[in-house]
């Protein structure tokens, strides 16, 4: 269950009368999600068939007992969701199962050199994820890893060690998989990378990390109340935006949500940042960032609002010094920083989960996906494309050819 407080430290910016102009639009949008063309997005739990889910579970068992290192290759939406969930829900130390290495997010030779050295004597399984099958960074990473694996394993063995997650029908990766007999998973036709965390794109790496994907999917199940909340949040963001708050900080008080914030930044930037519009997403991992960006949020240019994701219950660490739980002090920090920033003209929305687990993370994923799509519809930009991302790919490819 998620708790929303869009009032306490935002009220002086959000007046009742500001919301009136959105009523008609909000009604139309809700109808599209409940029973119209966007119905699909209100049912993230149906993004994956039971057949494919079974295949993921079986493959997970195989991967967990047959490699030292599981390499996930992908960029943008093809890896961010799984990395976010894995970081959020894994223990810091003493992780069980194969080590998971993400590759394909840059062109840095130092990173590849060191990774190739590190894995050369290890047993490896790779999952290359690219919906288009043509993105430069993952395709370079895959060629390097496949080269190394081809020297270690027979053609027959490679069939068990190379997994391709791509478009159901087309693209270079689908063709290669058909040719070589590699295991494949499908990115559903209608689901772009940044929305694909609860498809095989995200679910296989998450399951390999030992996280219960059924609970995650369960958390993301349809909730009509969630659509209402997502509309309310999207309206508040738009009101802030029109009042000059053009930057949104996703702020957390648990460092394990660092990559969740990275996922949010990608989700909102690619969904809304187009046609010279959009709110720039940044993140603060507090209390660390109170000693860097915090200064700007408190006293810098008045262009920022925050969306704070709080966690009510956490592991027990008692501080004799104050005769208090450390988590209570963390919660006091969250509240008092909210007040301080509000006084400094940086308002905040507060989203709280009771505790951090598969279900609540699933709920948050669904809530933010809905919010990003609805925010784009309110801003009248297309939520589902990312033409600006294509531009740089085109220029690099032209140069390479
Ligand atoms: O959200 C998106 O659509 C993008 O971030 C893509 O995931 C990213 O560009 C990678 O594309 P592809 O999966 O085609 O390699």
């Amino acid at each position: 269950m998620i708790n929303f407080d869009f009032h306490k430290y935002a009220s002086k910016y959000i007046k009742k009368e500001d919301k009136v102009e959105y009523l008609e639009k909000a009604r139309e949008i809700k109808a599209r999600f409940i029973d119209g063309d966007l119905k699909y997005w209100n049912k993230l739990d149906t993004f994956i068939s039971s057949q494919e889910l079974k295949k993921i579970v079986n493959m997970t068992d195989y991967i967990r007992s047959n490699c030292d290192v599981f390499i996930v290759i992908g960029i943008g939406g093809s890896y961010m969701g799984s990395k976010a969930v894995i970081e959020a829900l894994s223990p810091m130390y003493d992780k069980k199962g194969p080590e998971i290495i993400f590759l394909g997010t840059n062109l840095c030779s130092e990173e590849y050199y060191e990774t190739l050295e590190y894995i050369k004597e290890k047993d490896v399984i790779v999952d290359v994820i690219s919906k288009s099958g043509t993105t430069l960074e993952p395709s370079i990473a895959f060629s390097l890893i496949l080269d190394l694996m081809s020297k270690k394993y027979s053609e027959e063995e490679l069939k068990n060690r190379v997994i391709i997650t791509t478009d159901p029908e087309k693209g270079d990766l689908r063709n290669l998989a058909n040719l070589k007999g590699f295991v494949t998973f499908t990115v559903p036709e209608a689901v772009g990378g940044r929305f694909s965390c609860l498809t095989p794109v995200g679910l296989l790496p998450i399951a390999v990390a030992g996280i219960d994907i059924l609970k995650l999917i369960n958390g993301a199940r349809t909730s009509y109340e969630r659509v209402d909340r997502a509309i309310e949040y999207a309206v508040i963001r738009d009101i802030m935006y029109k009042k000059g708050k053009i930057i949104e900080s996703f702020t957390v008080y648990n460092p394990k949500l660092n990559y969740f914030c990275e996922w949010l930044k990608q989700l909102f930037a690619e969904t809304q940042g187009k046609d010279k519009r959009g709110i720039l997403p940044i993140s603060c991992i507090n209390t660390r960032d109170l000693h860097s960006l915090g200064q700007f949020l408190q006293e810098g240019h008045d262009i920022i609002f925050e969306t704070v994701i709080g966690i009510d219950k956490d592991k027990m660490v008692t501080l004799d010094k104050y005769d208090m739980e450390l988590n209570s002090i963390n919660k006091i920090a969250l509240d008092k920083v909210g007040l301080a920033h509000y006084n400094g003209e940086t308002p905040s929305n507060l989203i709280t989960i009771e505790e951090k687990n598969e279900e609540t993370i699933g709920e948050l994923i669904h809530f933010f996906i809905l919010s990003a799509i609805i925010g784009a519809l309110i801003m009248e930009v297309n939520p589902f494309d990312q033409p600006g991302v294509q531009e740089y790919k085109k220029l690099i490819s032209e140069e390479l050819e």
Side-chain angles (χ1 to χ4, degrees):
M1 174 86 180
I2 313 177
N3 250 303
F4 301 90
D5 185 343
F6 298 144
H7 183 76
K8 189 172 183 185
Y9 293 133
S11 57
K12 74 178 165 196
Y13 289 88
I14 310 291
K15 305 279 175 238
K16 258 199 181 131
E17 53 274 23
D18 293 328
K19 292 185 180 173
V20 175
E21 68 169 284
Y22 292 89
L23 287 176
E24 190 48 42
K25 215 173 207 176
R27 251 193 302 272
E28 276 169 28
I29 290 175
K30 183 166 179 185
R32 290 176 71 185
F33 276 94
I34 301 299
D35 207 14
D37 60 322
L38 298 173
K39 204 169 155 188
Y40 185 61
W41 295 94
N42 199 22
K43 290 180 182 291
L44 292 203
D45 55 310
T46 59
F47 270 23
I48 177 131
S49 66
S50 51
Q51 215 179 2
E52 201 139 41
L53 205 51
K54 216 183 261 168
K55 195 168 146 195
I56 289 180
V57 172
N58 292 339
M59 198 65 214
T60 299
D61 289 344
Y62 181 82
I63 295 167
R64 281 178 70 88
S65 36
N66 285 283
C67 68
D68 309 309
V69 174
F70 180 55
I71 298 180
V72 180
I73 295 179
I75 195 166
S78 289
Y79 89 103
M80 284 224 169
S82 61
K83 182 147 171 139
V85 175
I86 292 171
E87 271 202 7
L89 296 176
S90 301
M92 275 178 81
Y93 309 110
D94 205 12
K95 298 183 173 70
K96 307 272 181 287
E99 182 179 358
I100 300 180
I101 295 181
F102 288 90
L103 271 189
T105 61
N106 59 62
L107 300 168
C108 168
S109 41
E110 183 174 1
E111 177 165 320
Y112 285 99
Y113 181 86
E114 290 188 11
T115 306
L116 292 169
E117 279 296 303
Y118 177 67
I119 64 172
K120 72 179 180 214
E121 303 302 336
K122 298 186 188 284
D123 263 328
V124 176
I125 294 183
V126 64
D127 179 14
V128 54
I129 306 167
S130 175
K131 188 171 186 195
S132 61
T134 54
T135 307
L136 179 71
E137 296 89 335
S139 105
I140 287 180
F142 184 45
S143 70
L144 289 167
I145 295 296
L146 192 58
D147 254 14
L148 178 134
M149 290 176 75
S150 303
K151 288 177 193 135
K152 280 164 75 114
Y153 305 113
S154 68
E155 289 243 337
E156 215 37 46
E157 183 61 16
L158 280 181
K159 289 183 189 168
N160 300 321
R161 294 190 172 271
V162 179
I163 302 163
I164 292 194
T165 306
T166 190
D167 183 274
E169 315 250 310
K170 51 184 192 303
D172 293 354
L173 281 177
R174 177 62 58 182
N175 298 339
L176 182 75
N178 291 343
L179 186 75
K180 300 277 186 185
F182 296 148
V183 179
T184 60
F185 286 95
T186 296
V187 191
E189 182 80 49
V191 183
R194 60 191 170 278
F195 308 112
S196 68
C197 181
L198 299 177
T199 73
V201 171
L203 292 175
L204 180 64
I206 292 170
V208 171
I211 293 164
D212 188 333
I213 55 173
L214 295 181
K215 287 189 182 161
L216 189 74
I217 294 171
N218 206 27
R221 258 179 227 292
T222 311
S223 145
Y224 293 130
E225 196 204 336
R226 209 174 292 147
V227 179
D228 287 333
R229 289 312 201 173
I231 292 176
E232 194 185 350
Y233 173 51
V235 166
I236 285 168
R237 294 176 75 249
D238 205 61
I239 294 171
M240 297 276 189
Y241 175 63
K242 287 190 176 141
K243 293 188 176 176
K245 303 287 184 196
I246 55 164
I247 298 176
E248 176 175 25
S249 168
F250 292 106
T251 299
V252 293
Y253 285 74
N254 182 326
K256 284 194 181 176
L257 293 181
N258 179 21
Y259 241 87
F260 197 79
C261 292
E262 292 302 313
W263 174 74
L264 286 172
K265 279 151 72 174
Q266 195 241 348
L267 176 67
F268 281 91
E270 279 198 338
T271 305
Q272 292 187 357
K274 48 198 84 158
D275 301 342
K276 302 290 170 213
R277 269 169 265 174
I279 297 167
L280 174 71
I282 63 169
S283 61
C284 284
I285 314 302
N286 285 349
T287 55
R288 181 195 75 187
D289 289 341
L290 294 172
H291 300 257
S292 64
L293 293 181
Q295 169 61 34
F296 195 112
L297 268 73
Q298 189 68 49
E299 294 186 331
H301 198 2
D302 288 343
I303 47 174
I304 308 180
F305 69 97
E306 288 182 273
T307 292
V308 180
I309 305 171
I311 304 169
D312 199 29
K313 293 192 194 126
D314 200 349
K315 300 240 163 71
M316 286 248 268
V317 176
T318 308
L319 267 179
D320 290 344
K321 186 172 176 190
Y322 298 102
D323 193 20
M324 270 177 111
E325 288 299 317
L326 183 53
N327 190 42
S328 304
I329 300 179
N330 205 19
K331 287 200 290 189
I332 291 172
L334 183 152
D335 187 54
K336 295 306 168 204
V337 171
L339 175 62
H341 287 179
Y342 188 53
N343 292 339
E345 306 303 331
T346 297
S348 55
N349 305 308
L350 184 55
I351 293 175
T352 312
I353 50 174
E354 202 188 348
E355 58 186 291
K356 179 168 61 61
N357 57 35
E358 282 90 341
E359 261 120 2
T360 53
I361 292 292
E363 279 183 66
L364 286 176
I365 289 171
H366 188 211
F367 169 74
F368 281 114
I369 286 180
L370 289 177
S371 304
I373 296 174
I374 294 167
L377 296 175
I378 287 177
M379 219 172 248
E380 293 180 355
V381 295
N382 180 352
F384 303 115
D385 67 358
Q386 56 285 326
V389 176
Q390 309 312 329
E391 199 50 36
Y392 96 92
K393 291 186 188 175
K394 199 174 109 222
L395 292 178
I396 298 186
S397 308
E398 279 169 10
E399 185 67 23
L400 290 180
E401 273 157 25

